[in-house]
Amino acid sequence: MYKTLKKAAICLLSIHLLLGSAAAYADATDAAATTILAPSGTLLVGVYKGSPTSIIEGATPEENKGVGYDLGKLFAGQLGVPFKAMIFPSNESLLAAVKKGEVDLSVSNATASRKKIMDFSPTFMQVEKSFLVPPESTFQSVDDFAAANTVVGVSKGSSTAKTLIGLFPKLQIREIDTLKHAIEILKSKEIEAFATNNAILFQMSDAIAGSRVLPGHWDMEYFAAGIPKGRDAGLTTLNKFIIAADKDGRIADIIKRAGVRGATAKIGQ
């Protein structure tokens, strides 16, 4: 009887030690991942102005909103580190900073070209791409651009230009440095349409009375959280966070708060 009890006690002690070791290992792993993901001790989240998928600035930092902004803040809380938004005038300048490792995290359309400078989580939001046209435009749908020889604006440094040329070879593409500038030249009719994802187009349409986002779509964008190349040892931690935040509805809440129109919350690859 004594021997049996002794063996049981040894077994329980072994299990306790194993669980303790596993917990210590998990803590060490989490701490290592945090150091990789936020090497400065603060999570530097890259966002660019004017896009609800990134950041829409409010009168105060508390009123800022956007998928990239709010998701970054949520992830910083998960890691237990301070959050700092690194705000850029355009997506092009943001991507340049990501390439240099000057930001730790950014939400972006996970294109093949961007995968060369970033490692991505599973995609969690998809948005259609269309055209925004001014009030007087005769264009009624995406299909109307099939044979059109007209000037269409795109964001400088985006993947939109290459895709558009492949689909609509007669279009004249004009790259524009910021979304604010794009609104100005669409108002002044220097371009006849602007092309990007619908979340941005609807946001821009609010600033141009009578403008229209055309029905139909010519492509889709699939958004994910990305980290600079060389930090992939922290990717498992990021992936777990994204999957959990999608499952419990936090990502859907962020998309709703950002006012993203034309988006669907959906976990992908």
Side-chain angles (χ1 to χ4, degrees):
M1 179 70 176
Y2 173 76
K3 289 183 178 179
T4 301
L5 290 173
K6 185 176 180 181
K7 287 180 179 179
I10 292 171
C11 182
L12 287 171
L13 178 61
S14 299
I15 292 171
H16 177 75
L17 291 173
L18 284 170
L19 290 174
S21 298
Y25 177 76
D27 289 344
T29 301
D30 291 343
T34 299
T35 300
I36 292 164
L37 292 164
S40 69
T42 295
L43 188 69
L44 307 178
V45 178
V47 290
Y48 70 98
K49 296 182 178 183
S51 171
T53 63
S54 195
I55 186 173
I56 300 296
E57 294 178 279
T60 65
E62 290 73 24
E63 295 176 8
N64 290 347
K65 61 183 181 179
V67 176
Y69 181 85
D70 285 334
L71 191 74
K73 184 183 289 187
L74 190 65
F75 189 48
Q78 178 83 13
L79 295 176
V81 297
F83 160 85
K84 183 178 180 180
M86 306 291 286
I87 303 175
F88 296 85
S90 66
N91 196 27
E92 181 187 34
S93 55
L94 166 56
L95 292 173
V98 171
K99 189 174 183 179
K100 295 176 184 177
E102 295 173 350
V103 301
D104 301 321
L105 181 82
S106 183
V107 168
S108 177
N109 179 23
T111 64
S113 62
R114 291 176 191 174
K115 288 178 181 178
K116 294 177 181 178
I117 63 170
M118 306 168 76
D119 286 313
F120 284 103
S121 72
T123 58
F124 58 81
M125 180 177 71
Q126 57 187 43
V127 188
E128 293 182 345
K129 301 180 80 170
S130 183
F131 299 94
L132 177 67
V133 296
E136 305 82 3
S137 177
T138 58
F139 291 104
Q140 298 299 316
S141 72
V142 168
D143 292 339
D144 291 345
F145 284 85
N149 182 7
T150 191
V151 181
V152 173
V154 301
S155 292
K156 188 177 180 182
S158 73
S159 59
T160 299
K162 184 178 179 180
T163 306
L164 271 182
I165 288 297
L167 295 171
F168 308 103
K170 292 186 179 181
L171 291 184
Q172 301 172 46
I173 303 299
R174 177 172 172 181
E175 293 193 316
I176 303 168
D177 53 355
T178 67
L179 296 176
K180 182 180 179 181
H181 188 200
I183 290 171
E184 292 171 355
I185 65 174
L186 192 58
K187 282 181 176 180
S188 65
K189 301 178 183 177
E190 293 178 49
I191 57 175
E192 295 189 54
F194 188 80
T196 186
N197 71 68
N198 283 7
I200 294 175
L201 295 183
F202 279 117
Q203 186 70 30
M204 292 174 65
S205 72
D206 291 341
I208 308 173
S211 62
R212 294 172 290 123
V213 178
L214 297 182
H217 67 277
W218 51 267
D219 199 8
M220 298 289 294
E221 289 194 354
Y222 299 90
F223 286 83
I227 57 177
K229 285 289 186 181
R231 304 187 191 181
D232 51 295
L235 197 57
T236 298
T237 296
L238 175 60
N239 292 350
K240 288 180 180 178
F241 163 75
I242 291 296
I243 293 168
D246 174 76
K247 187 175 181 179
D248 64 21
R250 285 177 292 171
I251 287 179
D253 289 343
I254 285 172
I255 292 171
K256 183 178 179 179
R257 180 177 184 270
V260 180
R261 288 164 278 182
T264 303
K266 185 178 180 181
I267 282 287
Q269 298 299 319

